[in-house]
Amino acid sequence: MKINLSFPATGCQKLIEINDELKVRPFYEKRMGQEVDGDSLGDEFKGYVMRITGGNDKQGFPMKQGILTNQRVRLLLKDGHSCYRARRKGERKRKSVRGCIVDSNLAVLALAIVKKGEQDIPGLTDNTIPRRLGPKRASKIRKLFNLTKEDDVCQYVIKRPLPLKEGKKQQYKAPKIQRLVTPGVLQRKRHKVALKRRRAEKNRLAAAEYSKILAQRQKEAKEAKELKRRRSASLRESKRSVSSQ
């Protein structure tokens, strides 16, 4: 079985092949996300604690978190699920995946080092790969360089060097800072608030005018009803006087 070791602290990873099944047997019947001591892999791994992050079986099908079996199953997957990349909007597809329990049918097991042991592992813990990209969000840049609100964040953006072309100067590429509060942003915010306030005032005046017109109409309807009642009463009275004569 091959074991893909990764060490997040340095950004390095290393693939090792272990032919002795006794060394990998402590990982059997363990689930993804569980932490296992690495002493069984060899003396150089003494004191290391590793977390199972995934794996692939001998036919290349990946392990999926939450499937409590060590067999292969067929699941209906959609966009957002692991082990599946949707090609179209709303697309769903039935795919074969392996459960999250480790067994002997795996070809590659992925492990992440949680706790470093006594000895360094060559190519894994002894060197550090620098991060290719720096932070992009304004608040994260401030946190990284311990800046205040008055400092200009644009001066502290980590730029990425582009491949050098022959006979030309070194070019750099900087990311666009996200969530940066500029005078233009504040102006747009004030404009939106002013529009909202203007709209509320317009609605209030329209509601007041509507209620005034409604009260006027109700008053007119009441007067018309009263006038009609009086006319009908006077008509009945005149008919009664004519019949009595």
Side-chain angles (χ1 to χ4, degrees):
M1 182 187 288
K2 292 180 181 177
I3 292 183
N4 189 3
L5 289 168
S6 63
F7 191 33
T10 61
C12 297
Q13 62 179 13
K14 187 177 184 181
L15 187 68
I16 60 173
E17 189 164 0
I18 296 177
N19 297 319
D20 189 2
E21 191 184 353
L22 292 174
K23 290 185 176 181
V24 294
R25 191 166 286 174
F27 294 93
Y28 290 175
E29 302 303 320
K30 297 286 194 301
R31 296 183 193 173
M32 284 174 63
Q34 282 189 297
E35 295 180 1
V36 186
D37 291 331
D39 300 347
S40 63
L41 296 177
D43 294 335
E44 66 269 24
F45 294 99
K46 191 174 181 183
Y48 280 83
V49 178
M50 303 169 182
R51 185 176 67 249
I52 301 169
T53 57
N56 294 73
D57 63 8
K58 292 170 183 175
Q59 286 74 37
F61 293 99
M63 295 172 70
K64 183 169 170 61
Q65 181 66 285
I67 312 300
L68 301 179
T69 180
N70 56 7
Q71 305 293 323
R72 200 184 300 163
V73 294
R74 284 176 62 79
L75 298 176
L76 189 64
L77 303 177
K78 64 177 183 178
D79 190 27
H81 287 161
S82 59
C83 309
Y84 175 63
R85 181 170 67 88
R87 267 65 172 184
R88 300 181 66 183
K89 186 178 178 181
E91 182 186 43
R92 297 189 301 168
K93 207 165 189 179
R94 196 168 292 279
K95 304 285 283 184
S96 291
V97 292
R98 181 160 287 278
C100 66
I101 299 174
V102 180
D103 69 347
S104 59
N105 293 322
L106 292 180
V108 182
L109 183 64
L111 303 174
I113 295 173
V114 178
K115 182 185 172 186
K116 189 180 173 184
E118 302 166 1
Q119 301 178 16
D120 273 334
I121 301 170
L124 188 64
T125 60
D126 57 351
N127 65 336
T128 303
I129 296 177
R131 287 181 61 184
R132 180 174 164 269
L133 301 174
K136 191 175 181 181
R137 194 182 300 174
S139 60
K140 293 192 175 180
I141 296 172
R142 284 196 185 96
K143 186 179 177 183
L144 179 65
F145 293 104
N146 199 17
L147 304 177
T148 60
K149 293 283 185 183
E150 288 74 29
D151 293 323
D152 187 11
V153 181
C154 300
Q155 303 298 324
Y156 294 88
V157 180
I158 298 173
K159 297 178 181 179
R160 174 171 60 89
L162 295 175
L164 187 61
K165 293 182 180 178
E166 191 176 346
K168 294 199 175 181
K169 280 171 58 178
Q170 177 69 60
Q171 299 282 332
Y172 294 91
K173 191 168 187 179
K176 183 184 176 185
I177 302 173
Q178 302 297 314
R179 303 189 189 180
L180 182 63
V181 180
T182 60
V185 171
L186 294 174
Q187 185 181 1
R188 284 194 294 273
K189 188 176 180 181
R190 286 195 300 271
H191 180 61
K192 277 200 285 188
V193 170
L195 284 178
K196 192 175 179 182
R197 197 178 290 124
R198 212 177 299 155
R199 202 160 47 238
E201 182 67 21
K202 184 182 173 185
N203 290 341
R204 189 182 65 78
L205 292 174
E209 189 177 351
Y210 174 73
S211 61
K212 186 178 177 183
I213 293 171
L214 190 64
Q216 180 70 23
R217 296 274 172 86
Q218 286 175 347
K219 185 180 177 183
E220 289 174 0
K222 190 177 179 182
E223 287 175 356
K225 189 177 179 182
E226 184 67 23
L227 183 63
K228 187 178 178 182
R229 189 183 64 78
R230 284 178 185 173
R231 281 180 180 174
S232 60
S234 65
L235 189 62
R236 281 197 304 270
E237 192 69 31
S238 62
K239 281 183 179 179
R240 198 176 296 148
S241 62
V242 169
S243 62
S244 62
Q245 288 176 3

